[in-house]
Amino acid sequence: MVAKNDTQMSKSHAIGIDIGGTSLKCGVVNELGEILFSFIVSLKEAKTEAEIINLMIDAIKQCTDQLKEPIVGIGIGFPGLIEDDVIIGGGVNLPGFEQLPLGKILKDRTGHNIVIDNDANLMGLAELIYGAAKDSTDAVFLTIGTGIGGAIMINKGLYSGFKNRGGELGHTVIQQNGILCNCGGRGCLETYASVTALINYYKTQNTAAEENIDGKTIIEKYLSGEDHAVKTMQHHFDYLAAGIVNFVNIFSPQKVIIGGGISEAGQFYIDELTQRVKTGALPISFAHSKIVAAELGNKAGLLGACANAFQKFKNA
Ligand SMILES: [Zn+2]
């Protein structure tokens, strides 16, 4: 916890909005990364992008009314491709959000500075500024879930290539002509090392597995020594580590941050990866690297959206 004096010293606030497929999370964060308040708005009833934008504007107004102080700006996280605050596309369940100049629309309607980025990028940025890599300048972030999202951070900022189109660490190819991926490619890291891949692999090993088995159950079985689960987790660690070896050799990050529910499985998860990456990576590249679990959990999206607003607008 941060001492009260530090809180009083921080005069700057940002509003963050973390948009998901069925809801959005909105809140106010100060520069120390403390969430003053936050709330969730369901998007299930909203049928068009115009209705979703209205819900966002209502949420922003609710924040400014409650805060009663100026803000530096509003950061937004969106699950898709964003270029210059224009949503190009990619948001599952949000079909109206294509070629949508959301940044301009919200700036015109609220008068506030707006910055938008991909949600995985912002989760990584949150860990870099407020979480597992706050003492580091260079880091790589992976969120392991139904897919694998990633973020690259260099010199205390995000790096995602020309026009924000790179940083797709989950779609780096680790198996030539391998399993078909949702992206259309083959052999992507996420088709071997996501939680979806973990479950699919377990079912090939244990044909008597329950249809709706989840990652958590497989880990419980692994910890109790069940043969199929042990083999499945070894396979998972081997492939995820192969991906991480590549990222270490390219970026030599101080931290490789592993997020997503599975990263909370326990220290054994980080230890198994570390052991393999240490063996596979170039010793000079891994010399200053550490694999760590993410610290911010489901607050990372909101905190990262605000961190992005502070980085863009604090001294603007
Ligand atoms: Zn892919």
Side-chain angles (χ1 to χ4, degrees), residues 15-16 30 50-51 56 67 82 111 121 136 147 164 172 179-181 187 202 219-220 226 235 253 255 286-287 292 312:
I15 293 175
N30 68 20
E51 287 176 34
M56 292 171 76
L67 182 67
I82 293 97
N121 274 353
S136 304
N164 211 22
T172 50
I179 300 171
L180 183 64
C181 182
Y202 183 79
I219 284 183
E220 281 165 11
E226 195 232 56
H235 178 268
K255 299 279 160 57
F286 194 63
V292 295
K312 292 274 163 16

Side-chain angles (χ1 to χ4, degrees), residues 204-222:
T204 67
Q205 297 302 305
N206 181 3
T207 47
E210 16 179 329
E211 187 50 38
N212 59 352
I213 192 159
D214 57 16
K216 194 163 178 272
T217 311
I218 295 170
I219 284 183
E220 281 165 11
K221 289 178 187 289
Y222 165 80

